[in-house]
Amino acid sequence: MKQTKDVLSEMGQQYVHTVCEQIQCKSARKAVAWELTDHILCQKQDFMEQGMQDEEAEICAVLEMGEGKEVGMALDQIHRPKCQWQLMIPVFLLFGFGLVSRFLFSDIVEFESLFLLTGVGIGLFFLAYFLDVAVLYSMGKWFVLVVFLVLGLSFVLYHEHNGQPYFAMRYGMIPYYDFALILPIAQFAIYGLGYQRQKKGFLLCVVSIGLFFLYLLWCDHISYVLLYGVAAWSSLGVAVFCDWFGIGKKEGKRLFFVLTAIGMILLCLYLFFVLRYRFDMAVGRMTGEENDSGYVAALVQELWKNSQWLGMGEVPKGKWRTTILYVIQSKEYGAELFLAKVAFVKGKLFVFFILCAFVFLFCWSYHKIRNQKSSHAKITATCIWTILLFQTIGYIFYNFGFMILSMELLPLVSDGIVCFWLNAFLIGILLSVFRRENIANDGCILEKQIKNF
Amino acid sequence: MPKENAGVQISLLLLKLLEEKDMYGYEMIATLANRSEEVFQLKAGTLYPILHNMEKENWVQTYEAMADGRIRKYYQLTKQGKIQLQEQTAKWKKYAQAIQNVLEGEGKGDYEADKRCTF
């Protein structure tokens, strides 16, 4: 409420304070304080034009406002965060499916470990659910500092395993590519810094996206590089379409499309020249033999067989037989092919229910994103929604044999401890944005940035 | 005037103002007072809860713009708001017509007179 203190006398401040005191939600308080302050100042100006002195004009302006406590109570009723029970249902169904799946297929056999794992996930979900994501945007400088400090340290502390950097802990190793799931959150802080700073702000965000992208390339997991790329691209797109940087929608779109084209060309060149061997490996894995003659032909050949497998629901003959039998008979969890395993062991109905929960989650979230009023809520929700969707679609396609690259894990359901926790946290943030949709506008949370600007 | 009707009328007036152009809170109060020859003198404490409720219902949307060196919140009518305006206008016209009928139509629709006519 800095603006209030700067421009109003004690009586005006007291009035705004009385109103805001009645409002439980802190983010809403700020927005209301801004609006009431502006109103008092407009009224005061009018009174002064009618011949009143400064002090008298402000007293009269405050008296014109109405009873502070009553106004505050009325506003409090409107600005209470809304419980997102419609989305809680699919989320907790997915937590449930995850628990059952781990119990059935995981090599974690102790109940305590299973419940602890899920419990921590649910805990992180609720932590994020009650978190006000606007803080990330308004305290951008500090978050950015912490993120770059962590990334800097990661270069020093890493252990290489199978050519990929890991953080070694007493109980296991955390792969660095998992950062792909939380780097977009760090990106929000950078968006906060770039708010209404025109081309400087846009450039700042693009450079930071480029740096994070390079970092993930160093982590050497192409699926996660693509995941971050898609999430960063979608959030930047929304920011430009909302004119977040203040460069104008037309100019913003032009810059965005140019950047997209350059990014696509660079990515294609990288995939074709640097990572071509990975495609060949993936095709080799999929077809059961090494394939040096190009992956497209092999992919097309396998598509028909895969769709037959999907339709028949029984172990097919030929090259796929070995893979499927391996998946079904393997005592390990088989995280990468979990859905396929569930389909064969527990039946397609189980998979159908899991997919229904995802479809509902994504459709309802999409509807909620479209209703978001503030730009920062739109950017946050779109980015997280894209991350979750990309993982889910990639995972499903891979499981049913329509994709030659192994993708990320299925959010909340499939194995993978750190990913499971991070996804639970991300879904919590998504719901947190929705529950505060009527509360804060961009201006009041980015007060400092506007003042500097 | 019943209290609930008063609430509906204020939102109708606000929607009508916003149909013409985007406005901020104080501007709406001043415009309403001017146009109604000081009959509608809304307090800010009455206006903002109604406006915020209209925003929650998605009848209006808001955006911020710099004015006089500070951020000002402007309200803008949405598609849903336009539909709401039409509905409320139709309701109000019906209501006003009903009052008009009662005030002007002496004898017309009189219960006892109608009863006599049926015999």
Side-chain angles (χ1 to χ4, degrees), chain B residues 1 15 17 104:
Chain B
M1 194 73 62
L15 288 169
L17 290 185
E104 288 178 359

Side-chain angles (χ1 to χ4, degrees), chain A residues 70-354:
Chain A
E70 274 179 28
V71 178
M73 282 159 74
L75 288 169
D76 178 51
Q77 290 294 322
I78 299 165
H79 289 290
R80 283 193 183 158
K82 281 190 288 184
C83 175
Q84 296 299 310
W85 60 267
Q86 300 98 326
L87 286 168
M88 286 278 191
I89 295 169
V91 167
F92 276 88
L93 275 176
L94 291 173
F95 271 125
F97 283 134
L99 190 66
V100 172
S101 310
R102 282 185 190 86
F103 177 69
L104 292 173
F105 301 111
S106 175
D107 49 357
I108 307 172
V109 283
E110 303 94 22
F111 281 110
E112 291 87 354
S113 308
L114 278 176
F115 280 103
L116 185 68
L117 177 76
T118 312
V120 171
I122 292 173
L124 283 168
F125 166 78
F126 276 114
L127 180 75
Y129 181 73
F130 291 111
L131 191 80
D132 185 358
V133 79
V135 176
L136 274 178
Y137 288 84
S138 57
M139 309 266 287
K141 219 185 288 177
W142 299 107
F143 279 105
V144 172
L145 195 71
V146 170
V147 168
F148 279 98
L149 202 68
V150 170
L151 292 186
L153 273 176
S154 71
F155 283 110
V156 184
L157 298 173
Y158 84 97
H159 287 75
E160 204 172 298
H161 180 67
N162 288 340
Q164 288 170 330
Y166 282 76
F167 178 67
M169 288 174 72
R170 198 176 160 189
Y171 299 104
M173 302 214 287
I174 299 173
Y176 277 5
Y177 54 75
D178 280 346
F179 273 125
L181 290 172
I182 46 168
L183 278 179
I185 298 176
Q187 196 68 47
F188 302 151
I190 297 167
Y191 280 124
L193 294 178
Y195 183 65
Q196 295 299 316
R197 286 180 190 260
Q198 299 179 340
K199 282 189 179 166
K200 268 186 197 169
F202 182 78
L203 198 67
L204 178 75
C205 291
V206 171
V207 168
S208 65
I209 287 172
L211 287 176
F212 290 158
F213 206 81
L214 288 174
Y215 179 86
L216 289 168
L217 278 178
W218 172 69
C219 295
D220 203 27
H221 198 304
I222 190 64
S223 308
Y224 281 76
V225 176
L226 289 175
L227 170 72
Y228 173 73
V230 171
W233 178 80
S234 66
S235 64
L236 188 67
V238 174
V240 164
F241 279 71
C242 295
D243 197 21
W244 178 266
F245 304 107
I247 43 179
K249 284 187 184 177
K250 203 176 170 187
E251 176 66 2
K253 281 178 191 174
R254 194 184 66 80
L255 287 173
F256 179 66
F257 287 126
V258 169
L259 194 78
T260 306
I262 295 171
M264 290 297 282
I265 292 167
L266 287 177
L267 188 68
C268 288
L269 289 173
Y270 184 80
L271 290 176
F272 196 77
F273 289 108
V274 185
L275 289 180
R276 192 187 165 90
Y277 74 98
R278 279 184 173 249
F279 279 100
D280 292 336
M281 272 171 60
V283 172
R285 196 191 308 163
M286 185 177 160
T287 56
E289 60 185 37
E290 290 304 317
N291 191 327
D292 297 324
S293 60
Y295 46 85
V296 178
L299 180 67
V300 172
Q301 280 172 19
E302 289 305 318
L303 272 178
W304 173 240
K305 285 182 191 171
N306 294 347
S307 48
Q308 279 185 318
W309 164 55
L310 194 67
M312 287 155 68
E314 58 189 48
V315 183
K317 290 172 185 173
K319 288 170 189 170
W320 265 103
R321 187 177 182 82
T322 323
T323 314
I324 298 296
L325 283 174
Y326 168 75
V327 172
I328 297 167
Q329 289 162 4
S330 168
K331 283 182 182 172
E332 290 171 11
Y333 189 54
E336 283 185 343
L337 284 161
F338 162 73
L339 270 187
K341 186 168 179 173
V342 171
F344 275 90
V345 178
K346 285 285 142 196
K348 285 179 182 174
L349 200 61
F350 195 89
V351 176
F352 177 74
F353 283 131
I354 294 176

Side-chain angles (χ1 to χ4, degrees), chain A residues 3 15 32 34-39 41-43 45-46 63-66 71 74-75 77-79 82 195 371 373 438 441-444 450, chain B residues 24-26 29-30 42-53 55-56 58 60-64 66-73 75:
Chain A
Q3 194 197 24
Y15 178 80
V32 169
W34 272 67
E35 196 168 25
L36 294 183
T37 305
D38 182 49
H39 191 102
L41 291 173
C42 289
Q43 180 77 75
Q45 203 177 334
D46 261 9
L63 291 174
E64 280 287 306
M65 297 294 286
V71 178
L75 288 169
Q77 290 294 322
I78 299 165
H79 289 290
K82 281 190 288 184
Y195 183 65
N371 288 341
K373 292 171 187 101
N438 290 313
N441 280 15
D442 300 321
C444 62
I450 291 163
Chain B
Y24 56 97
Y26 184 75
I29 289 182
L42 279 186
K43 295 243 179 215
T46 314
L47 174 79
Y48 287 111
I50 295 174
L51 276 178
H52 287 209
N53 217 7
E55 191 186 358
K56 193 178 174 184
N58 221 10
V60 295
Q61 59 189 24
T62 58
Y63 62 91
E64 286 146 349
M66 294 294 279
D68 302 331
R70 56 183 185 264
I71 288 184
R72 184 162 287 162
K73 188 173 169 185
Y75 292 83

Side-chain angles (χ1 to χ4, degrees), chain B residues 83-101:
Chain B
I83 296 169
Q84 193 60 35
L85 174 63
Q86 284 171 356
E87 283 176 8
Q88 286 200 23
T89 309
K91 268 186 197 169
W92 171 251
K93 279 182 180 168
K94 202 176 169 187
Y95 183 77
Q97 187 61 50
I99 290 178
Q100 189 82 354
N101 288 346

